[in-house]
Amino acid sequence: MERKTIYLCLAHMSEQGLEQQYIKEAFDTNWVVPLGPNVNAFEKDLEAFVGENKQVVALSAGTAAVHLALIGCGVGPGDEVCVQSFTFCASSHPIKYLGATPVFIDSEKDSWNMDPELLEQAILERKAKTGKYPKAIVPVALYGMPYDCEKIMAIADKYGIPVIEDAAEGFGSRYKGQVLGTFGKYGVLSFNGNKMITTSGGGALICPDEKQKNKIMWYATQAREAYPYYQHEEIGYNYRMSNICAGIGRGQMAIVNDHIAHHKHVQALYAELLKDIPGVHLHEAPNADYDANYWLCTITIDPDVRIQGQENAYKETVKSAVGGAAGVIHQVDSPTTDCQPNENIEALRVYMLAHKIEARPVWKPMHKQPVYANCPAYVNGISEAIFKIGMCLPAGPMVTDEDVAYIVQTIKEAIV
Ligand SMILES: *Cc1c(COP(=O)(O)O)cnc(C)c1O
């Protein structure tokens, strides 16, 4: 039988087809707009899930949630924002949308997330250099792993700086039992097609109270003043979630706990099957306080592990669309840059793909991205080191036990 490609994290719908039922309801009642019963009910579901008396606004994307959270913290031109460097670009790009400057903070070795010591050093140094404290702090739950919520919140409180938790990858992860996204002033969630649950595309912002929820909702709907005609005194955005997408989200909320349990199950299987392979290490929670959803399972590979085809790594430029459904090809001239994964990692990626397994490098740290070359960065070398040896493995609800066994077997075969 022909083997189907095993993708990193594919969307997975409820067995009962709840998503389609909610969408049908939206059509039947003619709520085909960016507001409506599905949006309201999805927000209620999310509020019940995250707890802590939080209010949630459903938005068109996680990136929009980051953007509006920054606005909610008063970030504007000339301000600085401390953001985890080891992340997907959506954590930092919205800082630039606002004419502010990201100050990149490197990671801790164990969690791979924002290093509290570097954070405090950055806060003090930025204050000394610019006369102002950074306007917000953005830690990121990389691949679903919690950051050190206690230490980061303590530092934030000490200097009176609001925290925007980027829990886009960490939906349902917990730190000491509390859901990520509920520690800071705001919490960002993403429901893109490859996240823990999906609305096809979408996101949400967890807000501290009704007042903040209204403020964020107002910015998300073009910031209209309460007149019978269109009166605008501030700049707004068209960021509200569609009632169709929210219908998908409502259906997904019925199975979100199953998804999380499955991701954890896949992680446990990798742990068991990978443990005897020399030089290959699974990234795991530092201790029991860190309850990761294991959105993606990640490994690191020692530089001396040799992979079949390694001599051909990086010999050709990428000709097809690189990861991401948009499928845009922005052709480059050289197959290499000054900072990239080791050749054995690239060789393994190619080997896996030839065996119908999608594996990807871990995020390239933002302080190593040319577009952010001029931004301040507080660096200890950890994220750059992990970038060179790290790899993401398939983990979604569509990945079976047999798939995991095949993936691990393929890794074994790839090693020379
Ligand atoms: C996915 C993601 C986001 C937001 O993404 P959208 O695709 O806009 O929903 C933000 N931060 C991180 C770290 C992410 O992985």
Side-chain angles (χ1 to χ4, degrees):
M1 198 183 72
E2 177 95 14
R3 189 170 267 287
K4 282 212 214 107
T5 301
I6 307 170
Y7 291 99
L8 274 185
C9 186
L10 279 186
H12 166 262
M13 298 296 127
S14 67
E15 307 292 328
Q16 313 94 304
L18 292 172
E19 293 85 356
Q20 294 195 46
Q21 286 172 36
Y22 288 122
I23 290 176
K24 183 168 185 306
E25 235 172 77
F27 275 90
D28 290 348
T29 55
N30 205 17
W31 277 103
V32 188
V33 278
L35 79 165
N38 280 339
V39 179
N40 299 337
F42 183 42
E43 287 174 344
K44 286 281 158 280
D45 289 347
L46 290 167
E47 283 164 6
F49 182 88
V50 302
E52 308 291 327
N53 284 320
K54 295 286 181 174
Q55 306 275 319
V56 176
V57 185
L59 299 166
S60 55
T63 311
V66 175
H67 192 181
L68 294 185
L70 292 164
I71 291 172
C73 292
V75 174
D79 288 331
E80 292 188 334
V81 173
C82 289
V83 56
Q84 184 167 318
S85 181
F86 201 11
T87 187
F88 176 57
C89 63
S91 308
S92 54
H93 280 2
I95 299 168
K96 283 290 200 178
Y97 300 169
L98 291 165
T101 302
V103 175
F104 292 112
I105 313 292
D106 213 333
S107 289
E108 293 186 287
K109 191 160 159 286
D110 289 348
S111 70
W112 291 11
N113 291 324
M114 186 180 270
D115 183 325
E117 276 176 35
L118 281 180
L119 171 65
E120 187 160 27
Q121 187 196 331
I123 290 170
L124 293 172
E125 247 182 76
R126 299 323 296 167
K127 174 78 165 82
K129 279 214 169 88
T130 68
K132 289 195 300 188
Y133 282 122
K135 267 282 174 65
I137 298 166
V138 187
V140 182
L142 215 64
Y143 304 116
M145 186 65 71
Y147 21 81
D148 188 331
C149 294
E150 244 165 34
K151 282 195 188 152
I152 287 172
M153 288 311 300
I155 292 165
D157 291 344
K158 183 169 165 190
Y159 299 100
I161 304 171
V163 171
I164 299 167
E165 295 179 70
D166 184 343
E169 301 174 6
F171 185 42
S173 297
R174 292 164 188 266
Y175 183 84
K176 292 195 173 174
Q178 187 177 331
V179 173
L180 288 195
T182 63
F183 288 85
K185 179 173 184 183
Y186 297 111
V188 170
L189 301 176
S190 168
F191 313 119
N192 206 334
N194 57 0
K195 293 281 162 74
M196 185 53 77
I197 61 165
T198 185
T199 58
S200 68
L205 192 63
I206 303 171
C207 301
D209 52 39
E210 192 73 39
K211 193 165 155 249
Q212 282 295 324
K213 176 177 183 166
N214 283 332
K215 180 170 161 179
I216 295 300
M217 195 109 78
W218 181 73
Y219 278 115
T221 50
Q222 304 289 28
R224 262 182 81 179
E225 302 297 334
Y227 293 93
Y229 43 88
Y230 287 82
Q231 174 83 3
H232 296 285
E233 297 175 10
E234 277 194 60
I235 297 296
Y237 302 84
N238 181 9
Y239 279 171
R240 198 78 170 110
M241 180 177 278
S242 130
N243 197 51
I244 303 298
C245 295
I248 306 174
R250 283 181 80 183
Q252 292 272 286
M253 284 307 283
I255 50 171
V256 60
N257 285 321
D258 300 339
H259 279 195
I260 294 169
H262 187 83
H263 282 253
K264 289 180 176 178
H265 166 75
V266 167
Q267 166 80 8
L269 266 185
Y270 277 124
E272 188 189 317
L273 298 176
L274 285 168
K275 71 174 186 296
D276 299 325
I277 311 184
V280 177
H281 316 280
L282 185 67
H283 177 43
E284 294 178 284
N287 60 54
D289 292 341
Y290 293 74
D291 180 5
N293 65 9
Y294 292 108
W295 169 59
L296 293 185
C297 301
T298 48
I299 53 172
T300 56
I301 300 180
D302 293 347
D304 60 358
V305 173
R306 265 200 84 76
I307 301 291
Q308 289 191 44
Q310 193 168 321
E311 59 285 357
N312 297 322
Y314 295 119
K315 289 289 187 288
E316 281 183 42
T317 58
V318 174
K319 299 279 189 324
S320 57
V322 283
V328 183
I329 307 170
H330 202 222
Q331 196 67 54
V332 293
D333 298 330
S334 158
T336 57
T337 66
D338 64 348
C339 173
Q340 61 192 19
N342 290 338
E343 285 179 358
N344 63 355
I345 294 291
E346 172 58 7
L348 183 59
R349 184 191 70 77
V350 170
Y351 187 92
M352 301 282 268
L353 202 59
H355 291 78
K356 301 208 157 186
I357 299 162
E358 184 190 28
R360 277 195 209 165
V362 298
W363 303 126
K364 178 165 178 170
M366 289 303 133
H367 74 274
K368 300 301 293 182
Q369 300 286 2
V371 72
Y372 289 122
N374 297 324
C375 296
Y378 290 79
V379 175
N380 56 19
I382 287 176
S383 64
E384 184 176 349
I386 298 171
F387 171 59
K388 290 179 177 164
I389 60 172
M391 172 157 264
C392 302
L393 299 176
M398 307 297 277
V399 175
T400 65
D401 290 14
E402 195 273 325
D403 288 339
V404 176
Y406 171 69
I407 291 163
V408 172
Q409 189 53 37
T410 307
I411 293 172
K412 282 184 185 163
E413 285 167 13
I415 297 172
V416 183

